[in-house]
Amino acid sequence: MQKLVLASNNAGKLREFGQLLAPLDFEVIPQSAFNVPEAEEPYGTFVENALAKARHCARLTGLPALADDSGLCVAALGGAPGVRSARYAPTNAGEPKSDARNSEHLLNTLVGYQDRRAHYVAVLVFVRHADDPQPIIAEGEWHGEILSAPRGEGGFGYDPLFFVPELKASVAELAAETKNAISHRGKALRLLIEKLKAA
Ligand code: IMP
């Protein structure tokens, strides 16, 4: 079985990748098992950040690596918080990032806005090794609306605020399997798997 390191320390993402990759012929190991520290994410696009994370992880482990850079893009905010989704709320130096504060900051920013359209984006990058000149890249989107108050207990990040009109529910109200079947990450991963099989 081929080993693959997941370049993320985000518990929510790791749980979803574990569920999504379970049926595959890969031994999936989180980068924490190799004490890989989080990579810098200094770039302005999801794909650049995902590539940087995948290369960093492959370099430190010597194994193929899969990274995800994802976020929430709000139409009325010109795509913000975007690549800054994990660190959207202003913090004091040294303060850790917080899903709860990010969500509160988003709600405050959107007070008075009629246009609540938003979408999640996930860009996945797989590298066979740190200097792989031909990374495999896949992207998924999931469109919805930002609620004016949180609903539900499941998921992570902005899920209690992200309303899925077709299901009349927030993502935090969905079962994990339902989210995985239609989410940005699920779509991107299924695409990536097709590309991996064809490579
Ligand atoms: P990064 O990819 O580690 O830079 O962070 C992605 C951030 O985007 C997360 O910390 C969440 O704030 C947000 N995000 C990405 N995917 C999801 C999701 O499926 N649900 C909720 N929030 C998400």
Side-chain angles (χ1 to χ4, degrees), residues 8 10 13 16 38 41 46 53 68-72 82-87 97 99 102 120-122 142 155-160 171 179 183-185:
S8 178
N10 177 316
K13 284 189 192 174
E16 290 183 11
E38 271 194 4
E41 298 179 31
F46 295 106
K53 287 193 249 188
D68 148 297
D69 200 51
S70 52
L72 177 71
V83 291
R84 303 263 323 134
S85 293
R87 301 181 175 276
K97 52 192 175 187
D99 285 348
N102 288 335
Y120 279 131
V121 182
W142 193 11
F156 69 98
Y158 297 93
D159 285 346
V171 178
K179 177 178 179 185
S183 75
H184 49 315
R185 195 165 294 102

Side-chain angles (χ1 to χ4, degrees), residues 51 55 58-59 64-65 125-136:
L51 181 58
R55 289 208 194 285
R59 184 159 289 121
V125 174
F126 174 86
V127 292
R128 299 160 190 85
H129 56 84
D131 300 313
D132 190 343
Q134 201 181 7
I136 299 180

Side-chain angles (χ1 to χ4, degrees), residues 14-61:
L14 288 172
R15 190 174 56 240
E16 290 183 11
F17 275 120
Q19 291 159 351
L20 286 159
L21 289 168
L24 284 179
D25 205 21
F26 274 112
E27 184 189 344
V28 180
I29 312 165
Q31 66 177 9
S32 58
F34 297 90
N35 295 319
V36 176
E38 271 194 4
E40 296 294 318
E41 298 179 31
Y43 301 111
T45 64
F46 295 106
V47 67
E48 288 169 293
N49 286 326
L51 181 58
K53 287 193 249 188
R55 289 208 194 285
H56 169 83
C57 180
R59 184 159 289 121
L60 292 179
T61 61

